Amino acid sequence: IYSARGQGKQALEHLLKAAAVAPKDPTPHYRLWLLYRKLGKTAEADRERQQFERLKKVGTPAPSSPQ
């Protein structure tokens, strides 16, 4: 929601907390990947994409794409 409203800083804070609370859940990493891409932070986006893909292989369902 924050990202859609142009509040990237707040979105980033919440997503980082979500990733810390549920480190085996790929969803926060997927959303971080998208947000970092949107913010032009390529290295961070690549890191989150790799983490998302690694967790996805473990078998946790992938998130649905934002509408």
Side-chain angles (χ1 to χ4, degrees):
I1 293 174
Y2 287 115
S3 181
R5 293 182 182 167
Q7 299 172 323
K9 183 178 178 181
Q10 291 88 347
L12 185 58
E13 289 173 10
H14 285 279
L15 289 170
L16 289 171
K17 286 179 186 177
V21 169
K24 294 182 181 181
D25 183 357
T27 304
H29 298 285
Y30 174 78
R31 305 251 186 249
L32 281 164
W33 170 27
L34 297 179
L35 180 60
Y36 281 134
R37 266 188 15 201
K38 183 176 180 178
L39 297 173
K41 296 186 175 205
T42 307
E44 293 89 342
D46 287 344
R47 182 189 68 228
E48 293 301 332
R49 179 189 51 80
Q50 291 172 2
Q51 180 71 349
F52 165 69
E53 290 176 353
R54 187 170 67 248
L55 291 170
K56 188 172 71 168
K57 286 181 185 178
V58 173
T60 307
S64 59
S65 295
Q67 301 296 323

